[in-house]
């Protein structure tokens, strides 16, 4: 299977709620990264998982958490949603963590918090 | 400080024009990616560079490691090239740092 699939494509949540976003990585890719892209901005790194363990984290609070599963799928969980969490969330998978490996991006989940 | 700067921020071109988008970064990197993002949000990885030059169809990407600079060129531009082009660099470690993107509009 090729490509990275994210679900859902669009989501509306209320402030204070919790949300789970899903990413199905390209087969064989054991590294997945999650990014938040606010409107008009470049993506910001949230965290990376490698072989089901968190392997790096950006400047995001603990209410942003993740999981990676043996079947190359992963989740991004956000608790206690805030209005500023409204953004496009992107996942990208890679064969490994090194800089020499290409990344495949998903199409993103657009989250709106009202 | 890890910074990625792109220029120009916005670019409008006539169909057929040669286009150049520039990216500068501040410290040594392990790889640089050029990404294309269409209005729906999906990102396509165009190139991954660590040195030299790569070409794919009408797209050419170059990188100068000494000058910490990369360019993306589009020859014979076409309206379907209209998109946001993002430069992303990977420093030693696990993070990508992204530029804010260059919004390209190609007019027929």
């Amino acid at each position: 299977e090729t490509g990275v699939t994210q679900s859902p494509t669009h989501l509306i949540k209320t402030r204070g709620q919790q949300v789970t976003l899903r990413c199905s990585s390209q087969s064989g890719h054991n590294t997945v990264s999650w990014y938040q892209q606010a409107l008009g901005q470049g993506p910001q790194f949230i965290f990376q998982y490698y072989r089901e363990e968190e392997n790096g984290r950006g400047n995001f609070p603990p209410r942003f958490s993740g999981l990676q599963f043996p079947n190359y799928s992963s989740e991004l969980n956000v608790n206690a949603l805030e209005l500023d969490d409204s953004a496009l969330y992107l996942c990208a998978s890679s064969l490994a963590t090194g800089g020499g490996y290409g990344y495949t991006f998903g199409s993103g989940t657009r989250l709106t918090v009202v | 400080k890890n910074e990625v700067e792109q220029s120009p921020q916005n670019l409008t071109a006539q169909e057929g024009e040669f286009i150049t988008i520039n990216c500068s970064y501040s410290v040594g990197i392990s790889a640089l990616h050029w990404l294309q993002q269409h209005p729906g949000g999906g990102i396509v990885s165009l190139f991954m560079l660590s040195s030299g030059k790569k070409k794919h169809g009408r797209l050419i990407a170059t990188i100068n490691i000494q000058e910490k600079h990369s360019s993306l060129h589009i020859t014979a531009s076409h309206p379907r090239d209209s998109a946001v082009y993002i430069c992303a660099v990977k420093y030693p470690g696990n993070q990508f740092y992204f530029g804010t993107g260059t919004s390209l509009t190609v007019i027929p």
Side-chain angles (χ1 to χ4, degrees):
Chain A
E1 181 181 349
T2 60
V4 175
T5 304
Q6 289 188 243
S7 63
T9 54
H10 295 83
L11 193 57
I12 299 175
K13 287 287 196 177
T14 303
R15 188 172 51 183
Q17 283 187 314
Q18 179 266 344
V19 69
T20 297
L21 310 182
R22 294 181 172 83
C23 173
S24 177
S25 299
Q26 186 158 332
S27 182
H29 282 193
N30 56 22
T31 301
V32 64
S33 302
W34 285 89
Y35 300 88
Q36 180 196 64
Q37 185 177 24
L39 197 62
Q41 302 294 317
Q44 298 292 317
F45 175 73
I46 302 175
F47 45 57
Q48 182 183 78
Y49 277 77
Y50 172 65
R51 291 185 176 177
E52 302 167 46
E53 297 286 335
E54 187 176 294
N55 191 37
R57 190 178 183 93
N59 189 27
F60 280 81
R63 60 190 185 84
F64 285 77
S65 63
L67 286 170
Q68 185 186 27
F69 303 101
N71 66 350
Y72 309 117
S73 67
S74 65
E75 292 180 353
L76 164 65
N77 298 288
V78 187
N79 294 322
L81 283 166
E82 301 176 0
L83 297 180
D84 285 348
D85 296 333
S86 296
L88 180 71
Y89 289 85
L90 296 159
C91 77
S93 72
S94 175
L95 186 58
T97 61
Y101 294 91
Y103 280 74
T104 303
F105 283 82
S107 297
T109 293
R110 187 164 297 281
L111 173 65
T112 302
V113 182
V114 298
Chain B
K1 187 176 180 182
N2 300 326
E3 289 184 342
V4 181
E5 295 187 357
Q6 282 187 239
S7 63
Q9 286 190 321
N10 296 282
L11 183 57
T12 300
Q14 289 292 132
E15 183 173 356
E17 283 187 6
F18 179 81
I19 290 164
T20 297
I21 300 171
N22 296 299
C23 175
S24 297
Y25 51 92
S26 56
V27 296
I29 62 172
S30 56
L32 182 146
H33 293 243
W34 280 102
L35 310 171
Q36 181 191 56
Q37 186 172 33
H38 282 277
I43 288 181
V44 175
S45 180
L46 299 174
F47 294 104
M48 181 182 70
L49 296 163
S50 54
S51 64
K53 172 181 171 179
K54 287 190 176 180
K55 184 176 188 293
H56 181 71
R58 296 181 293 107
L59 303 178
I60 303 167
T62 63
I63 188 168
N64 185 317
I65 299 296
Q66 287 72 33
E67 294 185 3
K68 298 184 176 58
H69 180 269
S70 176
S71 293
L72 175 68
H73 306 283
I74 304 175
T75 62
S77 59
H78 190 276
R80 65 174 174 264
D81 297 327
S82 298
V84 175
Y85 292 84
I86 302 171
C87 168
V89 300
K90 197 170 194 301
Y91 295 101
N94 300 319
Q95 291 194 35
F96 270 111
Y97 290 86
F98 295 81
T100 54
T102 295
S103 180
L104 171 65
T105 303
V106 181
I107 300 170

PDB file of all heavy atoms in Angstrom, chain B residues 69-80:
ATOM      1  N   HIS B  69      21.695  27.860   1.116  1.00  0.00           N
ATOM      2  CA  HIS B  69      20.673  28.417   0.241  1.00  0.00           C
ATOM      3  C   HIS B  69      20.216  27.361  -0.769  1.00  0.00           C
ATOM      4  O   HIS B  69      21.022  26.571  -1.270  1.00  0.00           O
ATOM      5  CB  HIS B  69      21.249  29.631  -0.499  1.00  0.00           C
ATOM      6  CG  HIS B  69      20.279  30.275  -1.433  1.00  0.00           C
ATOM      7  ND1 HIS B  69      20.177  29.911  -2.763  1.00  0.00           N
ATOM      8  CD2 HIS B  69      19.354  31.243  -1.231  1.00  0.00           C
ATOM      9  CE1 HIS B  69      19.234  30.644  -3.330  1.00  0.00           C
ATOM     10  NE2 HIS B  69      18.728  31.448  -2.431  1.00  0.00           N
ATOM     11  N   SER B  70      18.919  27.361  -1.031  1.00  0.00           N
ATOM     12  CA  SER B  70      18.359  26.464  -2.040  1.00  0.00           C
ATOM     13  C   SER B  70      17.381  27.231  -2.899  1.00  0.00           C
ATOM     14  O   SER B  70      16.776  28.212  -2.450  1.00  0.00           O
ATOM     15  CB  SER B  70      17.649  25.290  -1.370  1.00  0.00           C
ATOM     16  OG  SER B  70      17.019  24.461  -2.327  1.00  0.00           O
ATOM     17  N   SER B  71      17.254  26.812  -4.146  1.00  0.00           N
ATOM     18  CA  SER B  71      16.279  27.413  -5.051  1.00  0.00           C
ATOM     19  C   SER B  71      15.452  26.329  -5.702  1.00  0.00           C
ATOM     20  O   SER B  71      15.946  25.233  -5.987  1.00  0.00           O
ATOM     21  CB  SER B  71      16.977  28.229  -6.145  1.00  0.00           C
ATOM     22  OG  SER B  71      17.621  29.355  -5.609  1.00  0.00           O
ATOM     23  N   LEU B  72      14.191  26.666  -5.939  1.00  0.00           N
ATOM     24  CA  LEU B  72      13.285  25.821  -6.716  1.00  0.00           C
ATOM     25  C   LEU B  72      12.931  26.601  -7.970  1.00  0.00           C
ATOM     26  O   LEU B  72      12.477  27.744  -7.885  1.00  0.00           O
ATOM     27  CB  LEU B  72      12.023  25.490  -5.923  1.00  0.00           C
ATOM     28  CG  LEU B  72      10.952  24.702  -6.678  1.00  0.00           C
ATOM     29  CD1 LEU B  72      11.435  23.284  -6.979  1.00  0.00           C
ATOM     30  CD2 LEU B  72       9.646  24.651  -5.874  1.00  0.00           C
ATOM     31  N   HIS B  73      13.168  25.995  -9.114  1.00  0.00           N
ATOM     32  CA  HIS B  73      12.863  26.633 -10.389  1.00  0.00           C
ATOM     33  C   HIS B  73      11.750  25.863 -11.094  1.00  0.00           C
ATOM     34  O   HIS B  73      11.728  24.625 -11.062  1.00  0.00           O
ATOM     35  CB  HIS B  73      14.104  26.640 -11.303  1.00  0.00           C
ATOM     36  CG  HIS B  73      15.324  27.235 -10.680  1.00  0.00           C
ATOM     37  ND1 HIS B  73      15.490  28.598 -10.539  1.00  0.00           N
ATOM     38  CD2 HIS B  73      16.440  26.652 -10.178  1.00  0.00           C
ATOM     39  CE1 HIS B  73      16.669  28.831  -9.960  1.00  0.00           C
ATOM     40  NE2 HIS B  73      17.258  27.676  -9.738  1.00  0.00           N
ATOM     41  N   ILE B  74      10.870  26.614 -11.720  1.00  0.00           N
ATOM     42  CA  ILE B  74       9.822  26.021 -12.561  1.00  0.00           C
ATOM     43  C   ILE B  74       9.983  26.605 -13.949  1.00  0.00           C
ATOM     44  O   ILE B  74       9.905  27.831 -14.128  1.00  0.00           O
ATOM     45  CB  ILE B  74       8.413  26.313 -12.023  1.00  0.00           C
ATOM     46  CG1 ILE B  74       8.282  25.840 -10.580  1.00  0.00           C
ATOM     47  CG2 ILE B  74       7.359  25.637 -12.899  1.00  0.00           C
ATOM     48  CD1 ILE B  74       6.945  26.194  -9.933  1.00  0.00           C
ATOM     49  N   THR B  75      10.231  25.747 -14.910  1.00  0.00           N
ATOM     50  CA  THR B  75      10.342  26.215 -16.300  1.00  0.00           C
ATOM     51  C   THR B  75       8.983  26.081 -16.987  1.00  0.00           C
ATOM     52  O   THR B  75       8.184  25.201 -16.631  1.00  0.00           O
ATOM     53  CB  THR B  75      11.392  25.399 -17.069  1.00  0.00           C
ATOM     54  OG1 THR B  75      10.964  24.028 -17.090  1.00  0.00           O
ATOM     55  CG2 THR B  75      12.754  25.483 -16.401  1.00  0.00           C
ATOM     56  N   ALA B  76       8.735  26.980 -17.933  1.00  0.00           N
ATOM     57  CA  ALA B  76       7.483  26.955 -18.702  1.00  0.00           C
ATOM     58  C   ALA B  76       6.286  26.782 -17.772  1.00  0.00           C
ATOM     59  O   ALA B  76       5.516  25.817 -17.892  1.00  0.00           O
ATOM     60  CB  ALA B  76       7.523  25.839 -19.747  1.00  0.00           C
ATOM     61  N   SER B  77       6.118  27.726 -16.851  1.00  0.00           N
ATOM     62  CA  SER B  77       5.081  27.595 -15.826  1.00  0.00           C
ATOM     63  C   SER B  77       3.685  27.474 -16.446  1.00  0.00           C
ATOM     64  O   SER B  77       3.402  27.986 -17.539  1.00  0.00           O
ATOM     65  CB  SER B  77       5.135  28.791 -14.878  1.00  0.00           C
ATOM     66  OG  SER B  77       4.940  29.990 -15.592  1.00  0.00           O
ATOM     67  N   HIS B  78       2.823  26.805 -15.684  1.00  0.00           N
ATOM     68  CA  HIS B  78       1.467  26.491 -16.142  1.00  0.00           C
ATOM     69  C   HIS B  78       0.501  26.783 -14.998  1.00  0.00           C
ATOM     70  O   HIS B  78       0.888  26.673 -13.820  1.00  0.00           O
ATOM     71  CB  HIS B  78       1.404  25.005 -16.532  1.00  0.00           C
ATOM     72  CG  HIS B  78       0.155  24.615 -17.223  1.00  0.00           C
ATOM     73  ND1 HIS B  78      -1.015  24.284 -16.549  1.00  0.00           N
ATOM     74  CD2 HIS B  78      -0.133  24.505 -18.542  1.00  0.00           C
ATOM     75  CE1 HIS B  78      -1.947  23.994 -17.419  1.00  0.00           C
ATOM     76  NE2 HIS B  78      -1.449  24.115 -18.627  1.00  0.00           N
ATOM     77  N   PRO B  79      -0.740  27.167 -15.301  1.00  0.00           N
ATOM     78  CA  PRO B  79      -1.707  27.440 -14.224  1.00  0.00           C
ATOM     79  C   PRO B  79      -1.821  26.315 -13.194  1.00  0.00           C
ATOM     80  O   PRO B  79      -2.064  26.576 -12.014  1.00  0.00           O
ATOM     81  CB  PRO B  79      -3.023  27.665 -14.976  1.00  0.00           C
ATOM     82  CG  PRO B  79      -2.586  28.253 -16.274  1.00  0.00           C
ATOM     83  CD  PRO B  79      -1.298  27.548 -16.621  1.00  0.00           C
ATOM     84  N   ARG B  80      -1.622  25.073 -13.609  1.00  0.00           N
ATOM     85  CA  ARG B  80      -1.734  23.981 -12.631  1.00  0.00           C
ATOM     86  C   ARG B  80      -0.570  23.963 -11.646  1.00  0.00           C
ATOM     87  O   ARG B  80      -0.605  23.221 -10.653  1.00  0.00           O
ATOM     88  CB  ARG B  80      -1.833  22.632 -13.335  1.00  0.00           C
ATOM     89  CG  ARG B  80      -0.606  22.233 -14.122  1.00  0.00           C
ATOM     90  CD  ARG B  80      -0.732  20.805 -14.665  1.00  0.00           C
ATOM     91  NE  ARG B  80       0.395  20.484 -15.536  1.00  0.00           N
ATOM     92  CZ  ARG B  80       0.342  20.607 -16.859  1.00  0.00           C
ATOM     93  NH1 ARG B  80      -0.752  21.052 -17.455  1.00  0.00           N
ATOM     94  NH2 ARG B  80       1.395  20.312 -17.599  1.00  0.00           N
TER      95      ARG B  80
END
